[in-house]
Amino acid sequence: MRRRSPRRLLGVLAAVTVAFTLFGSTSAAGAAEPGAATAARSAQAAVQPLSTSTPVVFVHGYTGNASNWTTAKSVFQLNGWSSSKLFAYEYNSYGNNITNAQGLATFVNNVKSQTGASKVAIVNHSMGGLVSQYYLKVLGGHTSVSHLASIAGANHGTTFASACLIYTTCQQMYPGSSFISQISAGDETPGDTKYASWYSACDGVILPYTSTRLSGATNNNVLCQTHIGYLADTIVLGQIARFVAS
């Protein structure tokens, strides 16, 4: 039997290692459409140049703040973004999400003016999904947004909000509210914006956990991640950075 040289064996092992590194983390965190078609699209995306020039606006969830995005910003920088292109919008968790969405519109306009960009990408978490969806759909913000990534977004509400119904924002976040009816009626993903969501049965706060899914978006089912755990999940955050760069 013909023996292979040590150099050739090392070359084969190196190729296998690179292939595993490229595709292993994505399959572990979850996939939108498993199968040969997805593998083909992934291979195609791998050879396409990625754009990291788009400013990113992070929108926190209920009772959150800009510090929630410390890990996310680090991951985006590792994926090629300059810190000067990463912004965190803060709003009043106990006020009104219509007002919060209007504030987001002003914030995005300021980011566009500061950076000279025609569009931004938005990455939201939890109740930040409601703020973002109202901005894009009702206020017409989709014309200023290239990508929307919703992480455990309360996009169709959560029964967990029953614990804080004293606040308008929580009333708006409860399933069946007039606010949710307004942002979910008709086209949930308007315009040319690319939409994606990440959701998990282990969430524990978004109930039902499928509430995050948006019709017309790429909806990624993460095998098991807690609601707050996403904010430190470098695998999911890396997927989101690559989505925004696509």
Side-chain angles (χ1 to χ4, degrees):
M1 183 176 180
R2 186 178 177 183
R3 298 179 60 186
R4 296 182 179 178
S5 68
R7 178 177 292 180
R8 186 174 181 183
L9 287 172
L10 287 173
V12 172
L13 288 173
V16 172
T17 300
V18 170
F20 180 80
T21 301
L22 285 173
F23 300 109
S25 62
T26 301
S27 60
E33 299 174 38
T38 299
R41 281 191 291 272
S42 297
Q44 183 182 19
V47 299
Q48 292 178 344
L50 300 180
S51 172
T52 58
S53 60
T54 302
V56 180
V57 174
F58 297 96
V59 184
H60 65 76
Y62 181 69
T63 72
N65 55 55
S67 67
N68 292 162
W69 300 110
T70 300
T71 300
K73 287 184 175 182
S74 296
V75 170
F76 270 72
Q77 286 182 262
L78 287 173
N79 278 271
W81 267 266
S82 164
S83 60
S84 63
K85 294 290 183 71
L86 303 175
F87 302 85
Y89 170 60
E90 292 189 315
Y91 60 87
N92 180 8
S93 292
Y94 312 105
N96 188 311
N97 281 323
I98 295 176
T99 302
N100 294 334
Q102 292 168 340
L104 177 59
T106 299
F107 190 86
V108 167
N109 286 337
N110 289 340
V111 168
K112 289 167 58 181
S113 177
Q114 178 178 331
T115 61
S118 59
K119 292 186 177 185
V120 306
I122 289 180
V123 178
N124 66 58
H125 177 247
S126 194
M127 194 173 76
L130 299 186
V131 177
S132 303
Q133 287 299 107
Y134 194 93
Y135 164 57
L136 265 75
K137 181 170 182 176
V138 181
L139 302 182
H142 60 83
T143 59
S144 293
V145 179
S146 64
H147 296 73
L148 177 94
S150 187
I151 310 172
N155 299 322
H156 295 98
T158 172
T159 57
F160 198 85
S162 61
C164 55
L165 290 177
I166 187 175
Y167 301 113
T168 299
T169 49
C170 289
Q171 295 170 18
Q172 294 168 330
M173 190 163 46
Y174 197 81
S177 70
S178 59
F179 183 94
I180 289 175
S181 295
Q182 187 174 12
I183 63 174
S184 60
D187 189 0
E188 292 187 339
T189 51
D192 296 328
T193 304
K194 294 182 180 179
Y195 295 80
S197 76
W198 280 259
Y199 66 103
S200 175
C202 299
D203 187 295
V205 172
I206 301 302
L207 305 172
Y209 72 94
T210 53
S211 172
T212 298
R213 293 172 58 96
L214 291 169
S215 177
T218 299
N219 297 296
N220 300 276
N221 187 358
V222 179
L223 293 182
C224 193
Q225 183 54 275
T226 63
H227 191 67
I228 299 301
Y230 279 109
L231 299 175
D233 189 330
T234 56
I235 292 178
V236 169
L237 292 171
Q239 291 177 357
I240 293 168
R242 290 187 290 276
F243 162 71
V244 171
S246 65

